[in-house]
Every structure is written in structure tokens, then in C-alpha cells.
Amino acid sequence: MKNSVVNKNDYELYLMNVPLTLFGKKRRQFIKRELEKVHPCFSEQFSFDSKRCIRKGKIQTLIAVMDKVKVLEYKRNKAAGLHLEGVKTAALFEGKGKFLGMTLLFAFVLSSVFVIAGSFRKKNIQLEATVIAGETYGYVNEAQEAVEKNKSIQEVLGEIFKRIKDSAGDIRYMSVSIDGAGEKSVLFTNLSLEKMYPEKLLFESDEGIAEDMSISQVSYDGKEPRFDFSMEAQLDKVSLLKPETNHVSELRNELNKHCTIREENFLDAGFHCELMENCFVDLFNQIDSMNVVAIKEISISRIKDGFDLSVSFVECHEETDRGICRSLLDYSSLFVKEKKSPPVIPAKTVAVKKLVVPEASQGKNWEQVGKVVQKNGKTIVYYRDEKNQIKGVEE
């Protein structure tokens, strides 16, 4: 696809010092806030794109601002990107259709509405655009630029599990799987939850956790809410190679120690098992300690006294590959309920029988009620005194 050239009257340029520690959505939000300060009438009507560049020995950010309608018009010919007339830059506005989906008629009307504001904007920023338009920028390539890292498996699942735990929610069903298509991998998470509300799992756009998220209708069992939650998250590429035969054999042996295998798919290194709740931690501890395999896909359904478990494995080459197993161990309390200690039954309180010296009973009208011979051979005689209290006299 060709790149379209944007007329110099249809864009504005800015140079900014954007912190190198900002990436992705946080970086765009920072630029947007700065544009609102310096760009007249900046609003959702405008689209912007940016490139880091080296100017006078310093890394700066070159920002192009265009009316979204103009971007749409220039990209009508399915241009891969846009070049700016008079500025030697790499292609900008290369997004895959994330601009406004509007018709040309609506675009024409919108352009007419903002024609006055556009004239005012060009008058005020023409000088700045002219000053930098003739310069050549040495663009920072991906090897030089600090690259934003996707969240790891453990970070994504850890954030979800933490919110469930903090909300005192219960997991009735969970499935997690990794799809490694393309240069990056995708983590798919599906949960059936109860005793918590869905707003506890809403992630802000700048948290970099969820690419796509959905929440079902909430049903109620009495006053207890129930709903299904699903989410997709981008990951760095992880290994999805089938384990070696000896590793599959080792996995089978470990599973047999901790649960009952019902079915096995040898070619996919997959197992369907029944797992008792009290074996949950021991099983995943053992899998994690093997170091050579990682969980690719797992589903856990709660049944009486345990779980219906389906799990498949891949070769493990990085610590991050074991993120599913590690997350299950870190938040095992969501699956394994702490056993309550049996209530402590207090011992019966034995009435203390007061011992008195023999002389204390003499001359008093005390009724003798019995005597006990102790192991040391001494005898204690018990009397009922005037106040109907039992007292023991050692003889």
C-alpha cells in the first residue's frame, strides 16, 4: 500500500519533551494533556500521532495533529500511513482503522462546523509549524527506544485474583489458556464468580491489563450475586512446544500421586482428572518444581470435596512461562478453604474445696459429708459448714 502525502495546511507539528518512562496509553494520555494546553480548540475532533526523534543531540517527541475527518479523507485510498509535506519524517497515522467510523457526508458537515475554529488555529500555530518544518529528524528505531513490555502471565492473573480475594469472592469455575499466534501471545481468562460484584473487576484503560473484557448479566441466589467474567490480555511470546515424551511420563506419574486421572491426550500432553481439595497445593508445587514444563491451558470446576481438573502442558523455557502455575499457588486460598479448627470445649470447672486446718473445725457444728484418701496416704475429711459450703480438713 502507498503512503499519502498530507498538505502542509492540513496538519500542525509540535515538539515536546515526553518522559522516556511513559509508554503506550500512559504516554498518549500525557501528550493529550499537553496538547490541550498548547493547541487551540483541541478536542476529540482531532487525531494525533507521535514519533521520538533526535534533535540537536536530544531525544524529543515530534507530534503531528490532524482533524480526524482529514485523516479519514487521506486514508480513503487505503494508505498504509501518511507523510507530512515539507517534513522529512517516517510515516504517521498508521493505525488499523481506529479513527472515527463516519460517512463522507457526516465528515463534510463536521468540517463545515469547525471551519472557523480551524482558521483560528492555523493563524496561531503557523509560525511554530514553519520553524520546524524544514528540519530533518533522526528517528529512534525500536532497538534504541525503550520498548513497553507487556504484562506477564503472573502479573495479569495476580491482579485478577487479588481483586477477587480483596472482595471476598468465590471462584466456581475458571479456565485460562494461552494462544501463541503471531509475534505475541494472548492470555484468555474465563471465570464464574459469586459473592462479589462485577465493578470490582473493571480495569482502567491505562493499567495495561485487558485488551478485551466482557461481563455477563448478574444473577442472584438470594442476595448473593453471580456472574461470568472473561478477558483477553497481550503477553510477550511464550513457548508453546509440546513436552518431550519423558516429560509427559513424569507428569503422568506426578498427577497419579495427587489426583485421579480419568482421561489422557498423549499427543497434546493433556489430562482430565479429579483433584481432592487437600491435594491442590501439593500438586501445583510439584508441577512448578519440575522446571521443564508449564501449563498452557487449565480449567477448574468445583465439585464435592475437590475439583474437576483439565490441564495441558508445554515445554518451559522461561520463568514467565510458569505464570499460571505460580499464580494458582500464590492465590491458592481462593481454591482451598482454610479448615476451621474444632471448637475448644472448656473443661468442667471443678468446685474448689477449701482446705482448712483441723483446729478450724473443732467446736463447730459442721456436718461431715465424706472423706478422700489421697495417693500420699493423707486423708481429707469434707464438712458442710454453717453457710452450707463444703470445706476439706486434712487429717
Side-chain angles (χ1 to χ4, degrees):
M1 292 187 292
K2 297 186 300 182
N3 293 317
S4 293
V5 178
V6 179
N7 187 287
K8 62 183 178 180
N9 294 320
D10 291 332
Y11 68 85
E12 291 83 39
L13 287 180
Y14 293 89
L15 274 172
M16 290 185 186
N17 293 319
V18 179
L20 296 176
T21 55
L22 295 180
F23 304 102
K25 293 178 181 178
K26 290 186 178 180
R27 182 169 179 265
R28 288 188 62 82
Q29 288 176 346
F30 176 87
I31 294 173
K32 184 177 179 181
R33 287 194 298 267
E34 294 303 308
L35 287 174
E36 289 171 348
K37 299 175 185 177
V38 299
H39 187 289
C41 310
F42 186 81
S43 66
E44 294 299 324
Q45 171 200 353
F46 298 100
S47 180
F48 66 89
D49 199 3
S50 62
K51 295 283 187 182
R52 287 199 176 114
C53 62
I54 299 176
R55 184 173 182 266
K56 297 180 180 180
K58 296 182 179 180
I59 296 180
Q60 291 184 291
T61 300
L62 183 69
I63 302 163
V65 181
M66 286 183 65
D67 190 294
K68 288 182 177 179
V69 175
K70 287 293 183 183
V71 174
L72 197 65
E73 289 177 354
Y74 277 105
K75 293 180 76 70
R76 276 187 305 180
N77 61 355
K78 299 182 180 179
L82 305 180
H83 281 295
L84 309 180
E85 181 184 1
V87 182
K88 297 178 181 179
T89 69
L92 294 160
F93 301 101
E94 296 178 292
K96 299 178 181 179
K98 291 187 178 179
F99 306 104
L100 288 180
M102 61 182 72
T103 64
L104 290 178
L105 176 61
F106 182 67
F108 175 79
V109 174
L110 194 60
S111 298
S112 301
V113 171
F114 291 101
V115 66
I116 298 176
S119 299
F120 174 78
R121 181 179 69 256
K122 290 175 185 176
K123 180 179 179 181
N124 282 272
I125 65 174
Q126 186 66 41
L127 178 61
E128 184 173 2
T130 302
V131 171
I132 64 177
E135 298 187 16
T136 300
Y137 300 92
Y139 282 87
V140 182
N141 60 34
E142 291 183 1
Q144 294 170 302
E145 184 176 4
V147 180
E148 178 184 13
K149 291 186 177 180
N150 290 301
K151 298 285 185 179
S152 69
I153 298 172
Q154 203 164 352
E155 287 173 323
V156 175
L157 290 180
E159 184 60 35
I160 296 173
F161 288 160
K162 180 180 183 300
R163 293 187 180 206
I164 297 172
K165 185 175 181 179
D166 291 346
S167 304
D170 278 351
I171 299 175
R172 293 185 294 129
Y173 169 80
M174 181 201 81
S175 73
V176 179
S177 62
I178 304 169
D179 182 0
E183 288 302 316
K184 295 185 180 294
S185 299
V186 181
L187 184 72
F188 297 95
T189 305
N190 294 283
L191 297 165
S192 291
L193 302 165
E194 59 184 10
K195 298 182 181 178
M196 64 178 291
Y197 294 98
E199 60 265 27
K200 301 297 184 180
L201 286 174
L202 292 180
F203 294 93
E204 297 295 335
S205 60
D206 61 353
E207 291 183 86
I209 296 288
E211 290 291 320
D212 190 17
M213 184 189 312
S214 67
I215 295 174
S216 71
Q217 285 190 327
V218 182
S219 61
Y220 288 86
D221 181 8
K223 292 186 177 181
E224 298 291 350
R226 290 184 174 184
F227 65 96
D228 295 332
F229 170 86
S230 65
M231 192 184 81
E232 297 179 17
Q234 293 288 333
L235 306 169
D236 289 325
K237 184 73 174 176
V238 297
S239 168
L240 295 178
L241 297 176
K242 180 185 176 298
E244 297 178 6
T245 301
N246 59 321
H247 295 159
V248 177
S249 300
E250 188 177 352
L251 278 166
R252 185 189 302 117
N253 291 336
E254 292 302 332
L255 287 167
N256 269 322
K257 292 177 185 177
H258 299 92
C259 52
T260 304
I261 298 176
R262 296 303 183 192
E263 293 179 330
E264 175 184 340
N265 186 334
F266 177 77
L267 295 179
D268 291 334
F271 298 87
H272 179 205
C273 318
E274 288 184 14
L275 173 65
M276 298 298 289
E277 185 174 312
N278 58 0
C279 295
F280 185 95
V281 173
D282 290 341
L283 172 63
F284 291 107
N285 263 327
Q286 194 59 42
I287 292 173
D288 185 59
S289 67
M290 289 176 64
N291 296 324
V292 292
V293 293
I295 296 173
K296 175 190 174 185
E297 185 173 357
I298 186 170
S299 68
I300 301 175
S301 299
R302 190 171 290 279
I303 57 176
K304 183 180 179 181
D305 299 327
F307 308 94
D308 183 83
L309 171 69
S310 291
V311 58
S312 61
F313 299 89
V314 291
E315 283 289 319
C316 179
H317 295 285
E318 301 287 344
E319 283 289 312
T320 53
D321 291 356
R322 302 209 297 275
I324 295 178
C325 191
R326 295 281 175 87
S327 299
L328 291 172
L329 289 171
D330 290 343
Y331 289 90
S332 60
S333 59
L334 291 174
F335 301 91
V336 180
K337 304 302 179 185
E338 293 184 5
K339 293 184 178 180
K340 296 182 179 180
S341 301
V344 178
I345 302 174
K348 289 185 177 180
T349 303
V350 180
V352 179
K353 300 178 175 62
K354 186 176 179 181
L355 291 177
V356 297
V357 296
E359 292 79 8
S361 63
Q362 294 180 0
K364 296 183 178 179
N365 189 22
W366 286 5
E367 178 187 359
Q368 181 175 333
V369 294
K371 62 174 64 177
V372 174
V373 178
Q374 297 180 310
K375 291 182 179 180
N376 59 8
K378 294 183 178 180
T379 301
I380 297 178
V381 180
Y382 292 96
Y383 297 91
R384 191 189 306 277
D385 65 9
E386 300 91 343
K387 296 180 180 180
N388 204 32
Q389 293 181 343
I390 303 298
K391 294 182 179 181
V393 177
E394 191 177 82
E395 295 183 346

